[in-house]
Amino acid sequence: MAPDGIDYYVPAAVLGAAVLARLPGLVRGRRSPTVRTVNSLLFLPCLGFILSAPPTVTVVNRFTGVSNLSALLVHCLMTAYACASLVLLNYWKGQPEDCARARRRARAWWTGCCAVIVALTVLFALGDVPVEQPRNFDTYYATTPYISGMLVLYLLAYVIAGVAMALVCGNWMLDIGRRAADGTRTAVDRFLWVGLLVLVLGSVGNIVFSSVKLTAIAARWAGRDWDALNESLSPFMAVCGMVIGFGLLVPVYGPGLVDRVVRPLLDLHALRPLWRLARRSRPADRSRVFPSPPWYAGPEQVLLYRMTAIHDWMLDLCAYCADEVRERSYRRAKGAGAPEREAVAAGLAAMYVAAADARAREPEPPTERCAPAVVAVCAAEREDRDLLVSISRALAARPAAAAEPSLSAVGG
């Protein structure tokens, strides 16, 4: 059996880890309202989940001496969270020339949020909630004077914020779709569109969550017991909170994650054939030809080390490179209908395979043979920014029987 409150503490731990990861960025960009809002959208639900857990509810109530104080704190935190989500969307969508207008809209949202929080606090203070209810506060006190008003106000504010967020995100997605039709959509727009879609799903989830809670409260007013609806919402609320947090983080971290993790990993995978050839053909008398990245290196740094090692290996083979081998393989690939980029890579791949074989056969390099090959490599590097990856793919597609003759067999 899972420990009591685990369904609250797990998402709180995930969000807390994100808050700690973002802390250096918050310190550096503390003057930016966007940075502050992003961090508040991680911190507020994290604190809300912690305060919603039944064990925490008991601790807070005993520490403060105020029964069910956690319920008020959670309602205020989630109201602020809903407002912060709208404020962040306001800052994101605002153009640089509309900065003043975006700030005015943000102040209006925060003013309304503060008014709701003050009203919640006043209603809670006027009500009477003597019996501690860690899980069913909303339905247990649904008919209590003032507390019923507090619950309805909180849930209506949450519904309004969810509807507003869904509309803002939906309209923004349509704008991005129109830019895509015009051919002006950027890579950042793709992540933004995905994030907005996730936010719409999370907003709809919050609307459903609030609507079901209101239904359970209305059932109490009608003298019926639908508390099971309220009890079943805890996991759903946690999922919605995580979904909205994910949607807000996708546009912020998605492009950097792709550039620093996904693409380097894909390039490392694509470089495997060329890397294997380089390792197999390194000189036997040099035990540490290639530098090794530190153990804590990320994919981007590992890729840099590997590309540096391959470049060094290619420089070592320069003296053994025969342009005749490259030219012959290039013409063969062009004759087979390969695009120019693939044909160039096929020629270079065949040249380096033959050069590695030639060095294994003749430790002493021939003289005055590599100049045309070096010129061809430099020209290819100017035309293809991912030349190493192209050569590696050409090696992977190269049949074993297609090995070129070694340098010693080519005119030498």
Side-chain angles (χ1 to χ4, degrees), residues 75 137-138 141-142 147-156 217:
H75 292 346
F137 176 85
D138 296 348
Y141 288 107
I147 300 301
S148 59
M150 182 192 83
L151 297 174
V152 172
L153 176 61
Y154 152 67
L155 291 171
L156 285 179
I217 291 172

Side-chain angles (χ1 to χ4, degrees), residues 78 81-82 85 89 158-159 161-167 169-170 173 194-211 236-248:
M78 299 316 292
Y81 171 70
S85 302
L89 290 174
Y158 218 52
V159 168
V163 171
M165 180 181 288
L167 291 176
C169 293
M173 290 172 66
V194 172
L196 291 173
L197 176 61
V198 175
L199 285 174
V200 169
L201 296 176
S203 300
V204 171
N206 278 341
I207 294 170
V208 172
F209 161 78
S210 302
S211 301
F236 184 74
M237 180 183 68
V239 170
C240 287
M242 297 297 291
V243 167
I244 290 180
F246 179 74
L248 291 167

Side-chain angles (χ1 to χ4, degrees), residues 301-323:
Q301 193 173 1
V302 172
L303 178 64
L304 179 61
Y305 270 83
R306 189 156 296 183
M307 292 179 70
T308 301
I310 292 174
H311 273 295
D312 291 344
W313 169 78
M314 292 169 70
L315 287 174
D316 288 342
L317 285 181
C318 271
Y320 298 90
C321 290
D323 195 56

Side-chain angles (χ1 to χ4, degrees), residues 170-205:
N171 290 332
W172 202 350
M173 290 172 66
L174 292 176
D175 291 342
I176 295 174
R178 284 191 287 268
R179 287 205 297 271
D182 297 338
T184 58
R185 189 173 72 170
T186 64
V188 175
D189 284 338
R190 297 190 188 96
F191 288 99
L192 181 57
W193 192 91
V194 172
L196 291 173
L197 176 61
V198 175
L199 285 174
V200 169
L201 296 176
S203 300
V204 171

Side-chain angles (χ1 to χ4, degrees), residues 109-377:
W109 278 111
W110 281 121
T111 301
C113 174
C114 291
V116 172
I117 290 175
V118 170
L120 292 175
T121 305
V122 171
L123 291 170
F124 180 83
L126 292 174
D128 184 21
V129 286
V131 181
E132 182 179 288
Q133 288 294 321
R135 287 191 177 272
N136 294 322
F137 176 85
D138 296 348
T139 51
Y140 187 87
Y141 288 107
T143 57
T144 302
Y146 299 109
I147 300 301
S148 59
M150 182 192 83
L151 297 174
V152 172
L153 176 61
Y154 152 67
L155 291 171
L156 285 179
Y158 218 52
V159 168
I160 292 170
V163 171
M165 180 181 288
L167 291 176
V168 170
C169 293
N171 290 332
W172 202 350
M173 290 172 66
L174 292 176
D175 291 342
I176 295 174
R178 284 191 287 268
R179 287 205 297 271
D182 297 338
T184 58
R185 189 173 72 170
T186 64
V188 175
D189 284 338
R190 297 190 188 96
F191 288 99
L192 181 57
W193 192 91
V194 172
L196 291 173
L197 176 61
V198 175
L199 285 174
V200 169
L201 296 176
S203 300
V204 171
N206 278 341
I207 294 170
V208 172
F209 161 78
S210 302
S211 301
V212 173
K213 282 242 182 192
L214 284 171
T215 302
I217 291 172
R220 275 282 186 165
W221 294 344
R224 298 183 180 180
D225 184 0
W226 287 6
D227 290 5
L229 284 177
N230 188 47
E231 294 172 1
S232 64
L233 286 178
S234 295
F236 184 74
M237 180 183 68
V239 170
C240 287
M242 297 297 291
V243 167
I244 290 180
F246 179 74
L248 291 167
L249 293 177
V250 165
V252 177
Y253 294 105
L257 184 66
V258 168
D259 290 340
R260 297 178 183 178
V261 178
V262 177
R263 285 179 182 165
L265 286 175
L266 293 175
D267 287 345
L268 284 170
H269 179 75
L271 284 174
R272 287 176 62 185
L274 185 57
W275 179 244
R276 284 196 296 265
L277 175 64
R279 288 178 62 85
R280 282 200 309 267
S281 61
R282 60 183 178 180
D285 59 336
R286 294 171 64 185
S287 58
R288 294 185 61 83
V289 176
F290 303 131
S292 297
W295 62 269
Y296 54 83
E300 197 174 27
Q301 193 173 1
V302 172
L303 178 64
L304 179 61
Y305 270 83
R306 189 156 296 183
M307 292 179 70
T308 301
I310 292 174
H311 273 295
D312 291 344
W313 169 78
M314 292 169 70
L315 287 174
D316 288 342
L317 285 181
C318 271
Y320 298 90
C321 290
D323 195 56
E324 298 90 336
V325 175
R326 181 200 62 78
E327 184 68 22
R328 185 163 54 250
S329 294
Y330 167 78
R331 293 185 181 279
R332 186 183 300 123
K334 289 292 288 184
E340 177 68 17
R341 179 177 175 176
E342 294 181 11
V344 169
L348 293 175
M351 182 181 72
Y352 282 114
V353 169
D357 180 52
R359 183 168 65 178
R361 295 173 181 272
E362 301 176 11
E364 292 298 325
T367 57
E368 303 296 333
R369 294 191 58 87
C370 64
V374 172
V375 172
V377 172

